[in-house]
Amino acid sequence: MFRTQHIQIKTDAQIDKMRAAGLVVGQTLEKLRAAVAPGVSTADLDAIAEESIRSAGAIPSFKGYHGFPASICASVNDQVVHGIPAGAQVLRDGDLISIDCGAILDGWHGDAAITVGVGPSVDPKYVEMAKVCEDAMWAGFAAARIDGRLSDISHAVERVVRAGGDYGIVTGYGGHGIGTEMHQDPHVLNYGRPGRGPKLVRGMALAVEPMITMGAPDTDELEDGWTVVTRDGSWASHTEHTFVLTDDGPWVLTAVDGGRSRLGDAVTSREPVSPDTRDW
Ligand code: MG
Ligand code: MG
């Protein structure tokens, strides 16, 4: 491991450790996706997450992070990110929830988030927003190439969001380098012109996380010191994965299938398909 321009570059062995951490996060988020339902509280989801992470021998990285009290961020409806799980926050049919989850395994981090509709009555416009947000994230990975530039990712994210509809792109928060800490250099914007910023190199690991809204992009932080909400009350979506750039392209470490279903087989050619990972 060495650092260039404050960016931590990972060796193959370290990447394999990040994959193990990423799978804990990916597996946990799939359990949470399945658990989301009307009547379930965000504290219930947090308990499921902590149990899933600890039973895998990992540590919930969010818990205690600058004093954050839980293992997930649960952000409902007009909450964008960093919502604190609570027993009193019971999900209702028609809600939209973003769940962000991180884990540390053997000293290495994974970080990912999903946005999920609650119950059968979610307005299709919110389902569509969540899809656009997720598609934008995947476009960001697809744009990441060795010898490309960091803002190629940002540009690809923005392009898909703009093509998808009249959404606000939240600019106060974004993606980040990740490795032996959850948040490392560089910051990854969700908008911008291509061809700028640090050169993308083999072994660079980044979390890409678009946040978009049905209205304006402006946000406020609530008095709890964490929860970020839209200023205009419009609902928001947030999607995130951690990936590493390999000779074969981006390997999406927090996706259970490594990104194969979205990016093709080449990206996970380093990884044998074992029953362990396939069943997650
Ligand atoms: Mg996250
Ligand atoms: Mg993140």
Side-chain angles (χ1 to χ4, degrees), residues 2-275:
F2 59 93
R3 283 171 180 264
T4 47
Q5 299 173 327
H6 309 290
I7 297 174
Q8 185 183 58
I9 305 302
K10 285 76 177 178
T11 66
D12 282 356
Q14 291 166 342
I15 290 168
D16 287 340
K17 289 187 173 184
M18 285 192 71
R19 172 57 168 163
L23 275 173
V24 173
V25 174
Q27 179 194 34
T28 298
L29 281 171
E30 289 314 310
K31 289 178 189 169
L32 294 169
R33 184 193 299 278
V36 166
V40 172
S41 77
T42 52
D44 295 335
L45 297 175
D46 183 55
I48 291 168
E50 180 160 6
E51 160 63 21
S52 172
I53 292 167
R54 293 199 190 279
S55 70
I59 300 164
S61 50
F62 291 10
K63 202 159 193 177
Y65 182 83
H66 295 285
F68 191 79
S71 297
I72 58 169
C73 297
S75 308
V76 180
N77 299 344
D78 67 325
Q79 299 175 350
V80 183
V81 287
H82 304 167
I84 300 171
Q89 188 175 45
V90 177
L91 298 176
R92 292 170 301 185
D93 188 14
D95 282 347
L96 187 70
I97 181 173
S98 153
I99 306 170
D100 196 341
C101 177
I104 312 167
L105 185 64
D106 204 11
W108 294 87
H109 285 253
D111 184 12
I114 55 175
T115 292
V116 187
V118 181
S121 303
V122 182
D123 189 319
K125 71 182 181 183
Y126 295 129
V127 176
E128 177 63 17
M129 172 175 63
K131 180 182 181 300
V132 168
C133 192
E134 188 175 353
D135 287 350
M137 173 191 69
W138 285 103
F141 303 141
R145 290 191 178 79
I146 289 174
D147 292 334
R149 295 284 184 163
L150 183 68
S151 76
D152 298 349
I153 298 169
S154 310
H155 180 70
V157 169
E158 179 176 13
R159 194 161 34 84
V160 171
V161 175
R162 299 289 180 220
D166 188 19
Y167 300 107
I169 298 180
V170 175
T171 56
Y173 307 87
H176 48 90
I178 180 169
T180 51
E181 299 93 29
M182 179 161 61
H183 293 129
Q184 299 182 327
D185 286 341
H187 183 62
V188 185
L189 297 171
N190 290 312
Y191 57 92
R193 290 204 240 162
R196 297 182 174 196
K199 188 180 266 195
L200 300 178
V201 300
R202 183 180 197 278
M204 193 180 280
L206 303 170
V208 176
E209 47 181 318
M211 287 149 253
I212 66 175
T213 75
M214 293 295 296
D218 310 279
T219 60
D220 289 309
E221 188 179 280
L222 297 186
E223 285 184 3
D224 63 18
W226 285 103
T227 311
V228 176
V229 299
T230 60
R231 188 166 297 168
D232 63 9
S234 65
W235 288 17
S237 179
H238 170 222
T239 305
E240 178 180 23
H241 270 309
T242 297
F243 84 98
V244 64
L245 197 51
T246 76
D247 288 333
D248 300 317
W251 185 10
V252 184
L253 302 172
T254 48
V256 172
D257 74 350
R260 183 179 274 125
S261 63
R262 295 294 295 251
L263 299 171
D265 283 341
V267 300
T268 51
S269 62
R270 289 184 62 233
E271 180 174 51
V273 178
S274 69

